[in-house]
Amino acid sequence: MRRRLSSVRSTYMLGMVVDATGSGMYVPLSLLYFHHVTGLSLTRVGVIVTTASVIGLVSNPVAGILIDRFSARAVLVGGYVLRAAAFCTYPLVHNGVVMFAVVLPVALGDTSYPPAIQSFVAEIVRGTERDKLLALQRSLRNAGLGVGGLIAGAALAIGDSGYYVVVLGAAAGYLLSAGLLSTIRPSAPAQPAGGRVSRKGGYRMVARNRPFLGLTLLNIPTAFGYMVLSVALPVYLTRNLDAPVSLVGFLYAVNTVGIALFQIPVSRVVVRYRRTRAVALGASIFALSFGTFAVLGRLSTGAALAVGVFTATAAFTVGELLHGATASALVAQAAPEETRGRHLAVYQLSWAVPIALAPTVLTGLLSVSATGMWLLLAAATAASALGVLRLERTLPAAAVHPVLPGAAPALSTTGSTRKVA
């Protein structure tokens, strides 16, 4: 069994690294690519990409139905193939209409990916092994994103043809990931025989699951908090604190390298405790970080400002280490197996909507009051932490405890049917 688990884990992580490397090649250059090949302004390119992303949200509930009716693997692999096919057409883009036609399938695939990948992980591992795999995934994906960025930089050094190397390389990464993950076959189907629940239960079952809906709503402020590093912090540092632009890149490196290096050892400790406590602690540290950024508004220059910015970013990273992988494991276990796809699709809206709205909401709050934005985020994430603690008693015991009291860790891999009770 251990040998099978090791094989499943190795294949899965190889797929994730390939995926992340391809994404790391393209994501930082997405707007620049279309600006380069179409001649459209960056503003217009941004509007087209945002419009496609918002429309792409429709694939979230559809993905939930497909996961329950067929399997997480089918939706995951299908999404990879869809995005790879769209990327192969990127060199044909020459105007805004064609651009929208090719970015929309990518947006649909991107939105279907989170519920599919979480459901897939829930099907192949259980108990503490789920937490460990998610921690390993976060660590290696950060490393893969960094490697992809370096490859993109090297490709662009050869000239304009480097743009096409980047997009076709990303397409190849999606296809290779699809091939790798398609070889992993969970032993137990995600739905009962005949698919009766997926046809009749619908999203009404999710609506009646109040503890799960509570987790979903409580994640919204935390999801907005995750977006500050890429959306609010660069603007705040350069415009409000008069910090150099170079500091933004340094702080981003502190976060990504910190996740890559420390996610696995932190998760090894966290799995000994209740998942809800780790998630709440992570959200609380987010609140502390945001409060620190608010205080920094009173410091204009000097060593105190530099130390404060570094400290607040380090605290943000610690909060992410505690919250990220653990929250994913908590939610995946809290979702009933028969309708896991639908449950996780609803939960992923608590990420997708803040991600779509964050650029407008956070920059709008910054323009009104930078200090007020940080304090609002601090209060919201602190309230989220308290809410998760209050939900603890209503959630399934197997979701709260990585290992149930008196029980041994349980696994679900190819050829094994052991489950956490």
Side-chain angles (χ1 to χ4, degrees):
M1 186 191 327
R2 288 290 176 181
R3 183 175 300 176
R4 292 192 182 99
L5 174 61
S6 178
S7 176
V8 167
R9 180 187 291 156
S10 298
T11 303
Y12 175 80
M13 289 316 309
L14 180 57
M16 290 296 98
V17 170
V18 172
D19 173 0
T21 302
S23 298
M25 290 174 62
Y26 176 73
V27 170
L29 303 171
S30 55
L31 297 182
L32 293 178
Y33 172 82
F34 288 113
H35 172 64
H36 173 76
V37 299
T38 65
L40 298 172
S41 68
L42 286 173
T43 300
R44 188 174 177 188
V45 169
V47 169
I48 294 173
V49 171
T50 300
T51 302
S53 298
V54 172
I55 296 174
L57 291 175
V58 71
S59 69
N60 187 283
V62 174
I65 295 172
L66 295 176
I67 290 168
D68 290 335
R69 185 175 296 273
F70 300 105
S71 70
R73 187 184 63 169
V75 175
L76 185 62
V77 171
Y80 275 135
V81 173
L82 175 65
R83 286 181 286 179
F87 267 74
C88 287
T89 65
Y90 274 27
L92 304 177
V93 173
H94 60 276
N95 59 44
V97 175
V98 178
M99 175 188 162
F100 178 78
V102 300
V103 298
L104 182 58
V106 174
L108 293 170
D110 286 344
T111 307
S112 69
Y113 175 82
I117 195 66
Q118 279 199 311
S119 297
F120 188 63
V121 171
E123 291 176 10
I124 62 177
V125 287
R126 287 184 168 85
T128 58
E129 293 301 327
R130 181 178 295 163
D131 301 73
K132 293 175 183 177
L133 184 61
L134 289 169
L136 182 61
Q137 172 182 312
R138 285 175 58 81
S139 178
L140 293 184
R141 278 191 66 86
N142 272 270
L145 289 169
V147 170
L150 293 175
I151 295 174
L156 291 177
I158 67 177
D160 289 348
S161 59
Y163 280 104
Y164 300 105
V165 173
V166 167
V167 296
L168 294 178
Y174 283 137
L175 287 176
L176 182 54
S177 296
L180 288 166
L181 298 186
S182 67
T183 65
I184 301 176
R185 300 183 182 277
S187 59
Q191 76 280 347
R196 290 187 298 272
V197 175
S198 63
R199 291 191 177 97
K200 296 181 179 180
Y203 280 97
R204 289 174 296 177
M205 296 188 68
V206 185
R208 291 195 293 266
N209 191 339
R210 293 187 178 182
F212 189 90
L213 289 181
L215 276 180
T216 300
L217 292 174
L218 290 170
N219 187 62
I220 293 175
T222 309
F224 270 106
Y226 268 85
M227 296 302 296
V228 301
L229 200 64
S230 59
V231 176
L233 188 57
V235 178
Y236 180 66
L237 290 176
T238 56
R239 295 189 180 181
N240 295 87
L241 302 185
D242 296 320
V245 177
S246 59
L247 182 60
V248 175
F250 174 73
L251 294 177
Y252 185 77
V254 168
N255 176 260
T256 55
V257 172
I259 298 297
L261 292 179
F262 298 111
Q263 184 65 76
I264 294 174
V266 167
S267 293
R268 285 175 179 169
V269 175
V270 168
V271 293
R272 304 172 187 171
Y273 304 96
R274 301 178 187 182
R275 291 185 178 117
T276 44
R277 304 293 172 89
V279 169
L281 180 58
S284 299
I285 295 177
F286 277 143
L288 179 62
S289 171
F290 300 149
T292 303
F293 278 121
V295 173
L296 292 178
R298 297 181 176 272
L299 305 174
S300 56
T301 58
L305 176 62
V307 171
V309 168
F310 176 82
T311 301
T313 304
F316 178 92
T317 303
V318 172
E320 191 173 345
L321 288 167
L322 291 166
H323 182 276
T326 309
S328 296
L330 171 66
V331 171
Q333 189 68 50
E337 185 172 345
E338 294 81 3
T339 53
R340 181 180 288 137
R342 288 177 171 86
H343 275 77
L344 293 182
V346 169
Y347 176 76
Q348 286 304 324
L349 288 175
S350 71
W351 287 102
V353 174
I355 288 172
L357 296 180
T360 300
V361 173
L362 295 182
T363 54
L365 290 173
L366 272 174
S367 65
V368 175
S369 171
T371 301
M373 182 204 72
W374 291 115
L375 293 178
L376 178 61
L377 285 172
T381 48
S384 176
L386 291 174
V388 170
L389 292 177
R390 292 193 63 180
L391 276 178
E392 187 176 84
R393 294 182 179 180
T394 64
L395 293 169
V400 174
H401 301 273
V403 180
L404 289 171
L411 313 176
S412 175
T413 63
T414 304
S416 170
T417 56
R418 292 180 64 195
K419 299 181 180 180
V420 173

